[in-house]
Amino acid sequence: MSALFWLIGLVLLVVVLFLLALLKPIKTGKSVSKTTPTPSISPISPALQQLLDHLANLLPEFTLNAKSGQQQRIIVSRKHVQCAIVVLSNHTAQRLMGQTLIIDTNHHFGELPRIAQDIRQHFDNIYQAD
């Protein structure tokens, strides 16, 4: 009988605590619905917009999406395959992460034809390997 008494007591305690947790937001006037905060969208800098415009002219067959945040970058994809990321930074570098070509470039847009050629060549290499 003692074990049954403890089981009933614990079940009642859980029910009471659950009801209190449900009533607390209503009592304080807070919303009960759970919403996720929307991330703030950073505006695209003029330099990134200019880079996006120049690359869009050089790569008309690719889809370009500008992303800004700590790093300003352009995601380059074609046929639903992300093939390159062009990062606007203070130095120039090129590296490969998996099958994604990552190109760091500075504000000098004279090298954009070479970058466009590298992206096309990398995309062709990805599809030849598959």
Side-chain angles (χ1 to χ4, degrees), residues 26-124:
I26 296 172
K27 187 177 180 182
T28 59
K30 294 184 179 175
S31 174
V32 179
S33 66
K34 296 180 181 179
T35 59
T36 58
T38 57
S40 61
I41 299 172
S42 302
I44 297 174
S45 71
L48 185 64
Q49 184 63 46
Q50 191 177 17
L51 177 64
L52 180 65
D53 293 340
H54 286 326
L55 273 178
N57 290 335
L58 293 171
L59 298 168
E61 67 273 13
F62 287 86
T63 304
L64 304 174
N65 294 319
K67 303 283 183 176
S68 60
Q70 280 186 319
Q71 285 187 332
Q72 300 216 353
R73 62 210 180 276
I74 296 174
I75 312 294
V76 181
S77 59
R78 184 175 177 195
K79 296 181 182 177
H80 305 291
V81 175
Q82 179 179 332
C83 58
I85 301 173
V86 179
V87 180
L88 192 58
S89 65
N90 294 329
H91 62 283
T92 58
Q94 190 170 337
R95 60 193 179 280
L96 198 62
M97 184 169 59
Q99 287 191 339
T100 304
L101 179 65
I102 300 175
I103 302 170
D104 293 318
T105 185
N106 52 19
H107 299 283
H108 303 293
F109 298 127
E111 62 186 16
L112 288 182
R114 181 192 56 81
I115 290 174
Q117 182 61 33
D118 289 346
I119 291 172
R120 276 192 194 94
Q121 184 178 13
H122 178 70
F123 181 78
D124 291 341

Side-chain angles (χ1 to χ4, degrees), residues 6-22:
W6 281 105
L7 178 66
I8 293 173
L10 286 175
V11 168
L12 286 175
L13 179 67
V14 168
V15 169
V16 168
L17 288 176
F18 179 75
L19 289 175
L20 284 175
L22 254 165

